[in-house]
mmCIF file of all heavy atoms in Angstrom:
data_model
loop_
_atom_site.group_PDB
_atom_site.id
_atom_site.type_symbol
_atom_site.label_atom_id
_atom_site.label_comp_id
_atom_site.label_asym_id
_atom_site.label_seq_id
_atom_site.Cartn_x
_atom_site.Cartn_y
_atom_site.Cartn_z
ATOM 1 N N ALA R 42 153.180 96.190 112.438
ATOM 2 C CA ALA R 42 153.897 97.406 112.850
ATOM 3 C C ALA R 42 155.200 97.607 112.072
ATOM 4 O O ALA R 42 156.135 98.226 112.576
ATOM 5 C CB ALA R 42 154.178 97.340 114.350
ATOM 6 N N GLU R 43 155.248 97.151 110.826
ATOM 7 C CA GLU R 43 156.517 97.236 110.079
ATOM 8 C C GLU R 43 156.925 98.670 109.748
ATOM 9 O O GLU R 43 158.071 98.917 109.411
ATOM 10 C CB GLU R 43 156.428 96.419 108.789
ATOM 11 C CG GLU R 43 155.472 97.014 107.767
ATOM 12 C CD GLU R 43 155.853 96.733 106.323
ATOM 13 O OE1 GLU R 43 156.818 96.002 106.083
ATOM 14 O OE2 GLU R 43 155.170 97.284 105.436
ATOM 15 N N ASN R 44 155.982 99.625 109.836
ATOM 16 C CA ASN R 44 156.293 101.018 109.504
ATOM 17 C C ASN R 44 156.174 101.953 110.698
ATOM 18 O O ASN R 44 156.086 103.175 110.532
ATOM 19 C CB ASN R 44 155.347 101.533 108.405
ATOM 20 C CG ASN R 44 155.291 100.645 107.204
ATOM 21 O OD1 ASN R 44 154.329 99.913 107.011
ATOM 22 N ND2 ASN R 44 156.337 100.668 106.392
ATOM 23 N N ALA R 45 156.162 101.397 111.901
ATOM 24 C CA ALA R 45 155.841 102.224 113.070
ATOM 25 C C ALA R 45 156.929 103.244 113.408
ATOM 26 O O ALA R 45 156.640 104.343 113.886
ATOM 27 C CB ALA R 45 155.557 101.326 114.275
ATOM 28 N N ALA R 46 158.193 102.899 113.176
ATOM 29 C CA ALA R 46 159.293 103.812 113.526
ATOM 30 C C ALA R 46 159.639 104.704 112.329
ATOM 31 O O ALA R 46 160.317 104.252 111.401
ATOM 32 C CB ALA R 46 160.515 103.009 113.964
ATOM 33 N N ASP R 47 159.138 105.920 112.333
ATOM 34 C CA ASP R 47 159.392 106.884 111.257
ATOM 35 C C ASP R 47 159.049 106.341 109.868
ATOM 36 O O ASP R 47 159.649 106.740 108.866
ATOM 37 C CB ASP R 47 160.864 107.333 111.258
ATOM 38 C CG ASP R 47 161.219 108.053 112.551
ATOM 39 O OD1 ASP R 47 160.324 108.700 113.121
ATOM 40 O OD2 ASP R 47 162.385 107.940 112.989
ATOM 41 N N GLY R 48 158.140 105.423 109.792
ATOM 42 C CA GLY R 48 157.705 104.901 108.495
ATOM 43 C C GLY R 48 158.456 103.671 108.018
ATOM 44 O O GLY R 48 158.004 102.991 107.103
ATOM 45 N N PHE R 49 159.593 103.397 108.632
ATOM 46 C CA PHE R 49 160.401 102.274 108.150
ATOM 47 C C PHE R 49 160.953 101.473 109.321
ATOM 48 O O PHE R 49 161.915 101.888 109.973
ATOM 49 C CB PHE R 49 161.560 102.785 107.279
ATOM 50 C CG PHE R 49 161.098 103.624 106.115
ATOM 51 C CD1 PHE R 49 161.066 105.013 106.207
ATOM 52 C CD2 PHE R 49 160.663 103.020 104.950
ATOM 53 C CE1 PHE R 49 160.613 105.779 105.151
ATOM 54 C CE2 PHE R 49 160.214 103.794 103.877
ATOM 55 C CZ PHE R 49 160.187 105.172 103.983
ATOM 56 N N GLY R 50 160.362 100.359 109.621
ATOM 57 C CA GLY R 50 160.859 99.498 110.692
ATOM 58 C C GLY R 50 160.162 99.741 112.020
ATOM 59 O O GLY R 50 159.125 100.423 112.100
ATOM 60 N N LEU R 51 160.772 99.180 113.058
ATOM 61 C CA LEU R 51 160.179 99.178 114.398
ATOM 62 C C LEU R 51 161.316 99.210 115.407
ATOM 63 O O LEU R 51 162.378 98.630 115.156
ATOM 64 C CB LEU R 51 159.365 97.874 114.546
ATOM 65 C CG LEU R 51 158.654 97.592 115.864
ATOM 66 C CD1 LEU R 51 157.578 98.635 116.150
ATOM 67 C CD2 LEU R 51 158.005 96.198 115.818
ATOM 68 N N THR R 52 161.095 99.885 116.529
ATOM 69 C CA THR R 52 162.104 99.887 117.603
ATOM 70 C C THR R 52 161.539 99.152 118.823
ATOM 71 O O THR R 52 160.313 99.035 118.963
ATOM 72 C CB THR R 52 162.470 101.329 118.022
ATOM 73 O OG1 THR R 52 161.273 101.951 118.523
ATOM 74 C CG2 THR R 52 163.032 102.142 116.868
ATOM 75 N N PRO R 53 162.416 98.693 119.727
ATOM 76 C CA PRO R 53 161.923 97.983 120.920
ATOM 77 C C PRO R 53 160.967 98.842 121.744
ATOM 78 O O PRO R 53 159.945 98.365 122.226
ATOM 79 C CB PRO R 53 163.209 97.682 121.703
ATOM 80 C CG PRO R 53 164.283 97.633 120.669
ATOM 81 C CD PRO R 53 163.898 98.644 119.634
ATOM 82 N N ASP R 54 161.292 100.128 121.880
ATOM 83 C CA ASP R 54 160.455 101.021 122.675
ATOM 84 C C ASP R 54 159.039 101.111 122.096
ATOM 85 O O ASP R 54 158.037 101.009 122.822
ATOM 86 C CB ASP R 54 161.140 102.407 122.702
ATOM 87 C CG ASP R 54 160.316 103.402 123.477
ATOM 88 O OD1 ASP R 54 159.895 103.053 124.586
ATOM 89 O OD2 ASP R 54 160.070 104.526 122.961
ATOM 90 N N ILE R 55 158.953 101.282 120.783
ATOM 91 C CA ILE R 55 157.625 101.387 120.149
ATOM 92 C C ILE R 55 156.894 100.047 120.240
ATOM 93 O O ILE R 55 155.684 100.003 120.495
ATOM 94 C CB ILE R 55 157.757 101.875 118.689
ATOM 95 C CG1 ILE R 55 158.316 103.302 118.651
ATOM 96 C CG2 ILE R 55 156.408 101.833 117.971
ATOM 97 C CD1 ILE R 55 158.655 103.822 117.265
ATOM 98 N N ALA R 56 157.624 98.960 120.063
ATOM 99 C CA ALA R 56 156.988 97.633 120.165
ATOM 100 C C ALA R 56 156.360 97.447 121.545
ATOM 101 O O ALA R 56 155.214 96.977 121.665
ATOM 102 C CB ALA R 56 158.016 96.536 119.898
ATOM 103 N N GLU R 57 157.082 97.856 122.586
ATOM 104 C CA GLU R 57 156.553 97.718 123.952
ATOM 105 C C GLU R 57 155.307 98.576 124.131
ATOM 106 O O GLU R 57 154.335 98.157 124.754
ATOM 107 C CB GLU R 57 157.607 98.126 125.001
ATOM 108 C CG GLU R 57 158.889 97.300 124.994
ATOM 109 C CD GLU R 57 158.720 95.873 125.548
ATOM 110 O OE1 GLU R 57 157.601 95.537 125.985
ATOM 111 O OE2 GLU R 57 159.707 95.121 125.499
#
Side-chain angles (χ1 to χ4, degrees):
E43 69 150 4
N44 308 104
D47 297 329
F49 304 96
L51 179 63
T52 62
D54 178 48
I55 295 173
E57 299 288 358

